[in-house]
Amino acid sequence: MRDPKLTHVAVLMGGWSAEREVSLATGEACSDALRRAGFQVTPIDVKRNITEVLADLRPDVAFNALHGKWGEDGCMAAILETIGVPYTHSGVRASAIAMDKVKSKILFAAAGIPVADSRVVDIELAATQHPLPLPYVLKPPAQGSSVGVHIVDLSSNGPATMILEERELFGDQVLAERFIPGKELTCAVMGDVALGVIDIQPAVGFYDYRAKYAPGGSVHILPAEIPRDVYRKVQHYALAAHQALGCKGVSRADFRYDDTPGGEGELILLEINTQPGMTGTSLVPELAQHAGHSFEELVTWMVNDASVNR
């Protein structure tokens, strides 16, 4: 256990990914919680000179509050491993694989976790013809926070031509995935324990970037009002996904559960987030609170869990 009064924590936030703004919000919220817990805290808006900044600062722990590319995909973990600063969240390998939706789905399926049928296609093809039967979802193969996600359903006039305007997000390829109707469920893992299950009900449309982070963007039902056996399956699969990728610290797994009339009760894992958001509207602090851990206790646990060689 680290003594908060003797522990200097550098909170890494911001960065230059498409998720910069939510990372800043996460970093500010975690910095405040760490201060309330008694830690010495230095927030850092991460730039490309972060190695030099950390070498001068010499913190005891780096709290990785970055989201998206360069922060969540293993790059920052690799820097921290190299300079020997203990850090929170998952290590290089787990972070890189979790960020790659294609590779992570292969490992999930191998672990017996149900995933949706999908294929990777060139962005030009997805913009000119349907890569899968309707309805389906288009998403960048390596982004988080529902950035760039489009649902193409029976009401669509045609293929999603707008993705060509988002090539900076998608790159040259796009992941097309079968759409699963029903509920959006999520479950966090803290160490080796699966926490509760939330039913996320977006105010409008689906659980996109705005629904995740805007006040009033969604309603969280905790515990989710779903059959007990489904609730337990979500917890089981969340922990199994965490372990299949070798995640550390806290992660969050997102699911779709088809409870629609005539549906077959299908439960599908969408993805795992190795550095989930921790803002005022975020799910992980809410799940931790439901399990009896205050925000201050959660971030304290994460700091105590920090290490190198993750």
Side-chain angles (χ1 to χ4, degrees):
M1 297 286 289
R2 293 182 167 97
D3 183 343
K5 295 180 180 179
L6 302 177
T7 305
H8 181 196
V9 181
V11 179
L12 310 183
M13 55 199 284
W16 54 90
S17 79
E19 300 174 59
R20 170 178 168 79
E21 293 307 315
V22 69
S23 173
L24 289 171
T26 287
E28 290 171 4
C30 291
S31 294
D32 290 343
L34 287 164
R35 289 191 188 97
R36 292 195 299 271
F39 290 95
Q40 304 171 47
V41 179
T42 301
I44 300 174
D45 187 346
V46 173
K47 310 297 182 186
R48 295 182 187 271
N49 66 339
I50 185 60
T51 304
E52 291 82 1
V53 171
L54 289 172
D56 290 341
L57 191 63
R58 301 179 66 183
D60 299 302
V61 171
F63 192 106
N64 192 351
L66 293 163
H67 299 310
K69 289 186 175 181
W70 302 102
E72 192 172 354
D73 58 2
C75 291
M76 185 54 59
I79 290 173
L80 296 167
E81 290 277 359
T82 301
I83 62 178
V85 175
Y87 62 97
T88 60
H89 299 82
S90 293
V92 178
R93 176 181 177 275
S95 299
I97 295 175
M99 197 71 175
D100 188 320
K101 294 180 174 65
V102 179
K103 289 184 174 67
S104 59
K105 287 180 71 166
I106 293 172
L107 291 184
F108 296 149
I113 305 168
V115 295
D117 297 332
S118 62
R119 60 182 296 215
V120 177
V121 298
D122 290 340
I123 191 170
E124 287 84 2
L125 176 65
T128 56
Q129 58 182 276
H130 294 301
L132 290 176
L134 295 170
Y136 61 88
V137 181
L138 295 178
K139 57 181 71 174
Q143 290 283 357
S145 293
S146 298
V147 172
V149 173
H150 298 279
I151 297 177
V152 185
D153 57 24
L154 298 175
S155 65
S156 301
N157 294 325
T161 56
M162 77 288 293
I163 62 175
L164 293 176
E165 301 172 7
E166 301 176 59
R167 187 185 289 270
E168 184 176 348
L169 283 175
F170 282 90
D172 294 329
Q173 294 187 313
V174 57
L175 177 64
E177 188 173 77
R178 179 170 62 92
F179 175 73
I180 310 297
K183 294 184 181 297
E184 184 98 19
L185 305 176
T186 196
C187 178
V189 171
M190 186 174 171
D192 58 359
V193 176
L195 304 181
V197 180
I198 289 178
D199 173 11
I200 306 164
Q201 300 180 357
V204 179
F206 75 105
Y207 193 50
D208 59 5
Y209 188 92
R210 182 187 180 282
K212 285 186 176 183
Y213 301 115
S218 62
V219 175
H220 301 167
I221 308 300
L222 175 63
E225 297 173 354
I226 55 178
R228 182 176 296 273
D229 64 319
V230 177
Y231 198 100
R232 289 175 175 168
K233 277 186 179 179
V234 172
Q235 291 176 307
H236 170 73
Y237 288 143
L239 182 57
H242 182 96
Q243 294 172 339
L245 269 57
C247 296
K248 302 291 185 181
V250 169
S251 72
R252 197 194 77 232
D254 298 333
F255 298 82
R256 295 288 294 184
Y257 169 53
D258 185 359
D259 66 338
T260 58
E264 299 181 358
E266 186 177 23
L267 178 65
I268 291 293
L269 172 65
L270 295 177
E271 64 179 353
I272 192 168
N273 301 273
T274 55
Q275 287 171 214
M278 293 177 64
T279 69
T281 60
S282 292
L283 298 155
V284 169
E286 186 175 357
L287 286 163
Q289 181 70 47
H290 182 257
H293 309 291
S294 68
F295 201 170
E296 293 83 0
E297 290 169 341
L298 173 61
V299 295
T300 296
W301 180 89
M302 294 172 74
V303 168
N304 284 325
D305 178 69
S307 66
V308 292
N309 300 318
R310 294 176 73 80

